[in-house]
Amino acid sequence: MRTESIQKFFALQRVERVLLLRSLFLVGLIRGGLFVVSLSDLIKILHAVSRQSSPNNLSRNSISSIAWAVTVASHYIPRATCLVQGLATQVLLADEGIPSNLCIGVAKDD
C-alpha cells in the first residue's frame, strides 16, 4: 500500500474505516472461497453466516456507503470480479437489514 492510500484511510471517519476493513475481508474471503467451493455452495455458506439484521436507523451504513467500500476494497484484491463484489455487497446489505436480490447472468455475443 502506498503512503497516500494509508493517509486517506486514516482520514476516513471511524465508521467508514470499519466498513472498508469489513469489505476488504469479505471480498478477499469470497474471492478465495470461489477457489475452494462451488458458487452454489459459497452462496449457501454466505447466507448461513450472514447476520440478516432487521432494519434499524441507528448507526447503519447506507447502501451507497456499502457500494463505495466494496468498490474500493476490490481495487486491493486481485481479480475481484463483479460476482465477488456482488456477493460481498449482498452480505453487507443483509448485515444492515437491507434486503437484496443478486441476479447472475451473462450476455451472449451477436
Side-chain angles (χ1 to χ4, degrees):
M1 234 187 229
R2 296 184 314 213
T3 304
E4 180 181 309
S5 296
I6 294 170
Q7 289 173 342
K8 284 182 181 180
F9 176 78
F10 284 108
L12 296 171
Q13 293 180 1
R14 182 182 181 279
V15 172
E16 293 170 323
R17 286 194 309 262
V18 170
L19 179 60
L20 185 54
L21 289 173
R22 287 178 62 209
S23 298
L24 276 165
F25 174 76
L26 260 176
V27 169
L29 184 69
I30 291 169
R31 177 69 182 109
L34 287 171
F35 280 115
V36 180
V37 297
S38 68
L39 175 60
S40 60
D41 287 343
L42 182 60
I43 290 172
K44 289 175 190 174
I45 292 167
L46 292 173
H47 183 70
V49 299
S50 181
R51 288 186 262 174
Q52 303 290 327
S53 299
S54 57
N56 182 344
N57 292 330
L58 299 176
S59 70
R60 295 295 187 179
N61 295 301
S62 69
I63 295 170
S64 60
S65 295
I66 290 170
W68 163 82
V70 171
T71 300
V72 171
S74 70
H75 294 303
Y76 295 95
I77 305 295
R79 296 166 74 164
T81 63
C82 58
L83 174 61
V84 172
Q85 293 174 50
L87 291 169
T89 301
Q90 191 172 38
V91 169
L92 291 170
L93 288 171
D95 287 351
E96 297 296 330
I98 302 169
S100 64
N101 186 23
L102 181 63
C103 297
I104 302 170
V106 293
K108 292 183 179 181
D109 289 336
D110 290 336

